[in-house]
Amino acid sequence: EYMSDGLMDMDGDTFNVALFLSTSNCETLTHDDYGDLTNEHANQYGYVTGGQALDSVTWNESSGTSTLDSANEVFTASGGSIVCRFAVIYDDTPTTPVADPLVCYSLLDDTPLDVTVTDGNTLTIAMHTSGIMTVSGGQTA
């Protein structure tokens, strides 16, 4: 909805990836913005609340299919452990009528546990080889 009504500029906005604990509500599909989510990793140990901006974001259309993609994102634990179970991508640019609309989330571990990245180690959020997401159908430009 937010892509089609112009709220999200897929090739011009800043997109962030944020990390959330297993106790988060980010799997609830009725949420529409970052502010609705609970239990993000604390602002500590090398992690900054709100996550970090995706690097090398692309939005390309080919034969009626549009693809959002970016480089992999790396978080480095420093002074303690980064703990998370979900990675959430959201658009950090819009402020109204919805601030920071959600794009997607990923379950980082399918057991009912958080992933723990100990001090000095890294967590790489590897984007799928086909991109973060694809949208197809309709007319091509």
Side-chain angles (χ1 to χ4, degrees), residues 84-112:
C84 58
R85 182 154 188 229
F86 302 100
V88 175
I89 295 175
Y90 66 96
D91 186 341
D92 192 37
T93 304
T95 58
T96 186
V98 175
D100 305 327
L102 301 175
V103 175
C104 62
Y105 78 93
S106 179
L107 176 65
L108 301 176
D109 186 352
D110 63 2
T111 62

Side-chain angles (χ1 to χ4, degrees), residues 20-87:
F20 291 82
L21 304 173
S22 60
T23 54
S24 176
N25 63 352
C26 64
E27 285 185 297
T28 306
L29 299 179
T30 56
H31 297 300
D32 61 358
D33 65 81
Y34 167 79
D36 289 342
L37 304 181
T38 60
N39 299 324
E40 182 176 1
H41 184 282
N43 190 39
Q44 61 185 4
Y45 306 133
Y47 180 79
V48 177
T49 303
Q52 60 192 41
L54 294 178
D55 296 311
S56 304
V57 175
T58 60
W59 177 251
N60 295 311
E61 186 275 330
S62 176
S63 302
T65 299
S66 296
T67 303
L68 177 67
D69 201 5
S70 79
N72 296 340
E73 288 300 320
V74 178
F75 294 87
T76 302
S78 176
S81 297
I82 294 176
V83 178
C84 58
R85 182 154 188 229
F86 302 100

